[in-house]
Amino acid sequence: MAADGGSSSLHLPCVFSPKSRQYLAVCAQDGRLRIWSTDSKTLHQEYVPSAHLSATCTCIVWAPCRTVKEGPQRKKRKSEAVQVEAKADLLAMGTAAGSVLVYSTVKGALHCTLDGGHSGGVNCVHWHPEDGLLYSGSEDTNIVEWDLQTGKTRSKWKADRAAVTSLCVSPDGKLLLSAGHVIKMWDLETKEVYRRFTGHSTAVTTLCFATTRPPDSNGLYFLSGAAHDRLLSVWQVREDGKDKNSVVSFTLTGEPRHVDLVASNSKEEAVRLAVVCEDGQLHLFEHFLNGPCKKPLSPSCTVQMSDSKASPMPIPLLAAALAAETRSVMLAYGSHLQPAMERAELDTTERHVCLTRDVQTSLSVSMETTVSKVKTPIVNAKSRVLLPGLPGHQAPLKGPSTGTEKRKKDADTKEMSIAERLHEIDLSAVSGKKGAPKVEASLQTDNFAVLLVQGLESNDANILNKVLQTRQETVIKKTVSRLPLPAVLPLVEELTKRLQGHPLTALPMVRWLKAVLMHHTSYLASLPDLVTQLGVLYHMIESRVKMFHKLTRLHGKLYLLMTQMATDDRSNAVSEVEHTAKLVYEEESSDEDEASGDEALPQDDSDHWDDEEEEEGMDEEEEDGSDSRTEPKTNGDEDMEHGNESEEE
């Protein structure tokens, strides 16, 4: 019995059909479902959901093979009945919008759509082995049981506090495993928890039952794998309930991406396991499950693939499927867009096996054999790409011309580009009319928006330079506001390239970047891989801001030094002022003091001035002892002498 571990939403789902491995179902990043035939190595069917871009596929699981009734019923031979039963038909796809799509390979169309059960994206789906029921786990922490006959919800219950990331139904259809971080086992009749297991530290992406024995005999085992975990853990369901921890661990080289196993029906039969890791390697295990094992088990065989060039490069394996009877393994490798498939006989006695394949030749052959509806146009050097015209402008109507005039016009003139047309548009005539500035601004922003989109699509440097060199704030804001959303991210990338140049040339780009962040922040925040796309811009801004702080500190220090030097210069200029008095006036002094003072005015020597003051003091003491009656006469004589001196001067 082969069991598939399902596909996680962390990578592109890729699953083989059960039993005969007739088909390989691959869901691409754009939401398209492609079903490849493993016999003819060609594309068998392709289905594009109506909401494949907004509601991408997160997980796909094949339904158990069933008898397909086509046309009127009749009694069939035994060989025909077996052939019909072995045919895979239904395929369930969980979407990010919360709906489940059921596709039929026999009809080549959608069988039904199951919606209304989840409010979040579907992370995992799993089929019931017999009753035609489908179980789905979602981001809204709920599990929904769907009835395919009615297309409606049969039951719904809350499974965990966190999102449900993996599901698996037991082979007898009585138990259901669900996991977020903690693994729970549910009784499908009562919808109650039967067992609870420790689980993993990260989200569980793989759940598989490894044995078909009932849980009463302590012989029921299942395995689990988690994101960013290099171990596959095996858990035992015991009667005493002491089964919270894992009993066996399988070591891997990376996170498990695809798991396929052949279950064990008894203790004497080993479990065969094939695990494809994220590094593209295949690990094969074979182990008898009979109680706990302390040491982790290494793979019995590791398979790698490489091309046949002189310097070989590894080829990633996408999926692997074991055959129940033989030792052959069905492999899918290469690219998700064009996978290569083959059935290989592996020598498991060797620990490491490397298969060399020429992938390019096999891809080219398969592409030639497939029928594609997409036609590639043949483009030569003479072909010209026509661009849409400017909005609001129409070409002038002209009368019919003769053939000679048309040939002459084609020979003499050349078609003008959009940038040249915009450059030659003269709006000065409109400016004299009423409301002309508004009309001019609207026309200019319309033209700039069209030009900017065309420049980004064609990567024309001339058009981009003409638009991005604009320095008017109003024109920049209106142009950015009228940009379509698909052109926002290319504009940010172009601005990032230009911001890495000289600061003078980067200054206008800062205005454009500011306008983009003001008008389209909500759109940029909704992008899932925004951090990787804007990493260069973030690091560049961060490095320049670091330098800005250093330059600001340096500017402050230089400013302090310059102001201190300026104040020192001013103080020195004030100290050089001459403090020597040119004239001294004394209110109470003798006539001789005045005469000596007048004689001493033209002299500049300060020391001689002090000596004369001492002599005048001695004379005053001598004159005090003389007769006071002689003072008016002497004063009158001195006045006369001063008058005569002034007249002589």
Side-chain angles (χ1 to χ4, degrees):
M1 175 182 177
D4 195 348
S7 299
S8 170
S9 60
L10 299 177
H11 64 284
L12 297 179
C14 180
V15 186
F16 280 104
S17 61
K19 290 189 177 180
S20 64
R21 314 296 183 184
Q22 184 180 3
Y23 301 119
L24 174 68
V26 181
C27 194
Q29 290 181 345
D30 57 356
R32 298 172 182 265
L33 174 66
R34 294 183 177 92
I35 299 176
W36 300 84
S37 174
T38 57
D39 297 332
S40 60
K41 311 288 191 303
T42 57
L43 183 62
H44 179 62
Q45 291 177 4
E46 182 177 7
Y47 172 68
V48 183
S50 58
H52 64 100
L53 294 178
S54 59
T56 56
C57 178
T58 56
C59 52
I60 52 177
V61 174
W62 286 93
C65 296
R66 63 170 189 165
T67 303
V68 181
K69 298 180 181 180
E70 299 177 353
Q73 298 182 4
R74 64 180 179 85
K75 189 175 181 180
K76 298 181 180 180
R77 289 192 292 269
K78 188 176 181 180
S79 60
E80 293 179 350
V82 172
Q83 187 176 1
V84 171
E85 279 188 11
K87 195 171 184 180
D89 179 22
L90 297 181
L91 180 69
M93 299 183 295
T95 64
S99 60
V100 180
L101 307 179
V102 181
Y103 181 80
S104 174
T105 57
V106 175
K107 300 177 183 178
L110 190 66
H111 180 72
C112 63
T113 301
L114 308 176
D115 53 5
H118 293 291
S119 59
V122 177
N123 292 327
C124 50
V125 289
H126 206 280
W127 293 85
H128 193 279
E130 297 175 358
D131 297 339
L133 301 176
L134 183 67
Y135 297 91
S136 61
S138 171
E139 290 285 339
D140 60 3
T141 71
N142 293 325
I143 298 176
V144 176
E145 184 181 41
W146 303 92
D147 190 353
L148 286 186
Q149 294 182 356
T150 61
K152 296 181 179 180
T153 302
R154 188 172 177 179
S155 62
K156 177 180 178 180
W157 69 96
K158 186 177 179 62
D160 203 342
R161 295 181 180 178
V164 181
T165 56
S166 187
L167 291 174
C168 186
V169 183
S170 62
D172 57 1
K174 296 181 180 180
L175 300 173
L176 173 68
L177 285 172
S178 71
H181 295 283
V182 179
I183 303 175
K184 296 180 181 179
M185 181 176 286
W186 302 84
D187 188 350
L188 288 179
E189 291 184 1
T190 60
K191 303 297 188 297
E192 296 179 354
V193 178
Y194 179 73
R195 287 285 192 277
R196 190 187 300 268
F197 303 89
T198 306
H200 298 261
S201 59
T202 56
V204 177
T205 57
T206 301
L207 284 176
C208 258
F209 279 94
T211 58
T212 58
R213 287 165 273 176
D216 300 337
S217 60
N218 290 339
L220 184 62
Y221 293 85
F222 68 91
L223 59 89
S224 64
H228 312 294
D229 196 352
R230 296 186 178 183
L231 288 176
L232 274 180
S233 301
V234 180
W235 312 78
Q236 182 182 14
V237 183
R238 299 169 56 96
E239 287 182 345
D240 53 6
K242 298 179 180 180
D243 47 16
K244 293 185 178 181
N245 298 324
S246 61
V247 294
V248 182
S249 297
F250 297 108
T251 60
L252 305 173
T253 58
E255 176 186 341
R257 289 297 175 87
H258 185 277
V259 178
D260 188 80
L261 60 83
V262 177
S264 169
N265 297 321
S266 63
K267 294 182 179 181
E268 292 76 19
E269 186 178 357
V271 175
R272 296 169 52 207
L273 187 65
V275 184
V276 176
C277 298
E278 62 178 351
D279 56 0
Q281 298 187 39
L282 170 64
H283 301 286
L284 301 177
F285 298 90
E286 189 169 355
H287 181 67
F288 291 92
L289 294 176
N290 189 10
C293 182
K294 295 183 179 180
K295 295 183 178 180
L297 301 177
S298 301
S300 59
C301 181
T302 299
V303 181
Q304 290 179 292
M305 301 197 73
S306 65
D307 53 19
S308 57
K309 296 180 181 179
S311 57
M313 296 294 293
I315 302 173
L317 283 160
L318 305 178
L322 297 170
E325 294 83 9
T326 63
R327 294 290 176 176
S328 63
V329 181
M330 179 66 71
L331 301 176
Y333 54 90
S335 172
H336 284 86
L337 298 176
Q338 185 78 22
M341 296 154 287
E342 68 169 282
R343 190 179 296 274
E345 295 288 340
L346 300 178
D347 186 7
T348 56
T349 57
E350 298 183 5
R351 296 295 300 270
H352 297 278
V353 177
C354 184
L355 304 177
T356 57
R357 297 290 185 272
D358 192 359
V359 181
Q360 294 182 354
T361 56
S362 62
L363 288 182
S364 61
V365 171
S366 61
M367 286 297 290
E368 291 175 359
T369 55
T370 56
V371 178
S372 178
K373 297 180 181 180
V374 180
K375 302 298 180 182
T376 304
I378 300 174
V379 180
N380 52 18
K382 297 181 180 179
S383 62
R384 306 182 69 179
V385 179
L386 300 179
L387 299 176
L390 298 175
H393 298 278
Q394 296 180 355
L397 298 177
K398 296 182 179 180
S401 60
T402 59
T404 57
E405 293 177 353
K406 186 175 183 181
R407 284 194 298 270
K408 184 178 180 181
K409 180 180 179 182
D410 294 339
D412 296 340
T413 62
K414 295 182 179 180
E415 185 178 358
M416 296 174 61
S417 64
I418 300 296
E420 292 174 350
R421 291 185 205 171
L422 180 63
H423 185 67
E424 293 188 0
I425 290 176
D426 187 10
L427 297 174
S428 60
V430 189
S431 61
K433 300 179 182 179
K434 185 178 180 180
K438 295 182 179 180
V439 176
E440 182 178 357
S442 62
L443 289 176
Q444 190 176 12
T445 51
D446 285 339
N447 298 333
F448 270 58
V450 174
L451 266 184
L452 186 56
V453 173
Q454 293 176 358
L456 293 173
E457 291 178 353
S458 61
N459 200 12
D460 192 340
N462 295 327
I463 298 178
L464 292 175
N465 290 335
K466 182 172 182 59
V467 177
L468 296 179
Q469 287 175 359
T470 305
R471 296 179 179 271
Q472 300 179 8
E473 294 287 344
T474 56
V475 175
I476 292 175
K477 291 180 180 179
K478 292 183 179 180
T479 303
V480 171
S481 64
R482 298 183 184 185
L483 276 181
L485 292 180
V488 174
L489 195 58
L491 176 60
V492 175
E493 294 176 354
E494 181 66 25
L495 293 176
T496 304
K497 295 178 183 177
R498 294 172 179 260
L499 279 171
Q500 297 175 2
H502 195 274
L504 293 178
T505 60
L507 182 59
M509 304 305 111
V510 175
R511 297 192 180 99
W512 283 92
L513 184 61
K514 179 181 178 182
V516 171
L517 295 178
M518 288 176 61
H519 288 86
H520 300 288
T521 305
S522 58
Y523 169 71
L524 292 174
S526 64
L527 298 177
D529 52 349
L530 180 65
V531 178
T532 57
Q533 292 176 347
L534 299 185
V536 178
L537 178 62
Y538 176 76
H539 290 301
M540 181 182 60
I541 294 176
E542 190 177 16
S543 62
R544 293 196 176 185
V545 167
K546 288 181 179 179
M547 293 301 297
F548 177 74
H549 289 303
K550 295 180 181 179
L551 292 175
T552 305
R553 295 195 191 107
L554 180 60
H555 178 266
K557 293 179 181 179
L558 291 176
Y559 180 75
L560 289 176
L561 289 174
M562 296 298 292
T563 52
Q564 188 174 1
M565 292 174 63
T567 52
D568 291 341
D569 294 340
R570 292 174 185 172
S571 62
N572 293 332
V574 172
S575 63
E576 292 177 358
V577 177
E578 186 179 0
H579 296 283
T580 305
K582 296 298 182 180
L583 179 62
V584 177
Y585 173 72
E586 294 182 1
E587 186 176 357
E588 295 179 357
S589 63
S590 62
D591 298 337
E592 294 179 359
D593 294 339
E594 292 177 0
S596 62
D598 294 337
E599 293 175 356
L601 283 175
Q603 295 180 1
D604 295 333
D605 192 356
S606 61
D607 296 336
H608 185 65
W609 181 274
D610 296 335
D611 295 340
E612 289 181 350
E613 288 179 353
E614 293 177 358
E615 293 177 357
E616 290 174 357
M618 295 296 291
D619 294 339
E620 289 176 357
E621 291 177 358
E622 293 176 357
E623 289 175 357
D624 291 335
S626 63
D627 192 6
S628 60
R629 291 177 293 178
T630 59
E631 289 180 4
K633 183 179 179 179
T634 55
N635 290 335
D637 296 339
E638 287 179 0
D639 293 336
M640 293 298 291
E641 290 174 1
H642 283 297
N644 296 330
E645 287 177 0
S646 63
E647 288 176 359
E648 289 175 1
E649 288 176 357

